[in-house]
Amino acid sequence: ASLRASLAAERAAAEALGVALAEEEGMRRGAEEEAAAAGRALQAERSQREEADALAARSEVRRIEAHREASEARGAAHAAEGRAILAEAEAAEARAALAAEAASE
């Protein structure tokens, strides 16, 4: 009877060990799946951050180009204003010369 009880106890212990090993395997698989999901989430976040950085860089390039174009436009406007002032001065000189010529006649 004690041999049967000992065998039954060993069988129960082996079954409990099997259940514990199965639970441990399940937890290990769950942890591996969670780690893989976390890795995918980190990669997605990294990709989004890289896309945002690229968008910010393109936006900065457009801002600089717009600033350059505005500066060029201001330069062209100043040059046109300078040419207009010069033309006005030349016209005034021509009128003065004509007036002096008319006065001398």
Side-chain angles (χ1 to χ4, degrees), residues 20-66:
L21 288 174
E23 288 175 354
E24 183 181 329
E25 178 66 17
M27 289 189 303
R28 185 188 59 77
R29 284 187 186 152
E32 287 174 353
E33 290 170 4
E34 286 179 19
R40 288 189 299 273
L42 284 173
Q43 181 58 42
E45 181 182 330
R46 185 177 302 119
S47 294
Q48 288 175 346
R49 190 170 46 250
E50 288 170 355
E51 288 175 21
D53 289 347
L55 179 63
R58 287 191 300 270
S59 179
E60 179 68 5
V61 167
R62 284 193 299 272
R63 185 193 67 76
I64 290 169
E65 287 175 349

Side-chain angles (χ1 to χ4, degrees), residues 81-105:
E81 183 181 6
R83 288 190 301 274
I85 291 170
L86 182 59
E88 187 179 324
E90 289 172 352
E93 287 176 3
R95 284 192 304 272
L98 286 174
E101 187 179 316
S104 68
E105 292 178 0

Side-chain angles (χ1 to χ4, degrees), residues 6-27:
S6 176
L7 286 174
E10 282 185 36
R11 187 177 304 129
E15 288 175 8
L17 180 60
V19 168
L21 288 174
E23 288 175 354
E24 183 181 329
E25 178 66 17
M27 289 189 303

